[in-house]
Amino acid sequence: MAARKPPEAAAGADRPARGSRRQPTLRARALRLLARREHSRAELRQRLVRYASSESELEAVLDECEQRRWQSDARFALTYVGGRAARFGALRLRYELAARGIDDQRIRQALGGLDEDEVQRAFRVWRKRFSAPATDLAERARQVRFLAQRGFAAETIRRALRQAAQLAGTEVRGQQDDLADFVDPVDPFDPA
């Protein structure tokens, strides 16, 4: 019979002991995040900053990701808008992209690439939530608030609700086209 090796030789003297793994590099962390989903540069920075030993190291990794096209703010904006446009209006999408560090030019490009008209999207969001047009002013106010919270502009909401009423052949008695009673004129998504 062969003699048994000591435990440290069996485990491998050149490998770390179990439970003491090497920490992944900043680049590896960035790649792991980007493999899951698209991230804006600002999001990626926010996720990686606590692992970076210096600001220059972080910038170098972010620059490399951008140069190798692993990360792109334009691609992130298009993907983000494409995934959320069916449920939200342009105002909300614009606000959310700005909050994620996307510049105005890229936001305009991403929102400009929408296939469907904003009124049609608002109508589809309305139709998914409500089965029939409002029959009184209280219900109309509820429907208007719902669409406003989804990020649709007041004019878009007015046109979508008018379209819904025309398709159903109904009108709320005493209803005005002016939505000033239902929608706050201040843009709720304006960061200013």
Side-chain angles (χ1 to χ4, degrees):
M1 275 200 162
R4 292 187 93 170
K5 294 181 182 178
E8 57 274 353
D14 58 334
R15 289 186 298 183
R18 282 188 191 208
S20 65
R21 291 178 144 176
R22 285 185 27 206
Q23 293 297 315
T25 64
L26 197 59
R27 181 176 183 253
R29 288 180 191 277
L31 289 175
R32 188 175 303 139
L33 289 169
L34 291 169
R36 291 184 187 139
R37 71 168 177 88
E38 293 286 342
H39 285 75
S40 69
R41 184 179 177 107
E43 281 181 327
L44 200 55
R45 166 188 285 286
Q46 184 179 8
R47 298 287 301 269
L48 295 175
V49 71
R50 69 180 184 189
Y51 302 108
S53 59
S54 68
E55 184 70 23
S56 61
E57 178 193 20
L58 179 60
E59 284 301 317
V61 168
L62 293 173
D63 289 342
E64 179 186 7
C65 288
E66 196 168 340
Q67 287 170 356
R68 291 182 180 238
R69 297 182 185 209
W70 296 334
Q71 187 278 324
S72 165
D73 279 351
R75 191 173 59 229
F76 168 78
L78 288 172
T79 303
Y80 190 85
V81 167
R84 296 176 64 86
R87 298 183 317 268
F88 298 103
L91 291 174
R92 181 158 174 176
L93 293 172
R94 180 181 311 278
Y95 173 77
E96 289 178 352
L97 286 171
R100 285 167 172 72
I102 305 299
D103 62 68
D104 287 338
Q105 179 184 356
R106 288 197 173 106
I107 291 173
R108 281 193 302 276
Q109 288 172 348
L111 293 177
L114 292 174
D115 295 333
E116 195 174 15
D117 179 24
E118 181 86 349
V119 175
Q120 290 303 314
R121 287 186 323 163
F123 176 73
R124 285 188 40 238
V125 168
W126 172 87
R127 188 175 60 195
K128 202 171 199 178
R129 175 71 168 89
F130 300 101
S131 58
T135 56
D136 61 4
L137 290 177
E139 177 62 20
R140 179 175 168 91
R142 184 171 159 256
Q143 292 179 6
V144 168
R145 281 191 308 271
F146 170 77
L147 290 173
Q149 289 171 346
R150 291 293 177 119
F152 293 101
E155 178 63 18
T156 302
I157 295 170
R158 184 184 63 76
R159 291 172 61 195
L161 293 180
R162 183 186 292 158
Q163 179 181 353
Q166 288 173 348
L167 287 175
T170 62
E171 283 288 326
V172 177
R173 291 290 171 228
Q175 175 178 331
Q176 299 175 2
D177 273 341
D178 183 22
L179 297 178
D181 296 336
F182 306 114
V183 179
D184 187 5
V186 177
D187 182 1
F189 300 104
D190 187 11

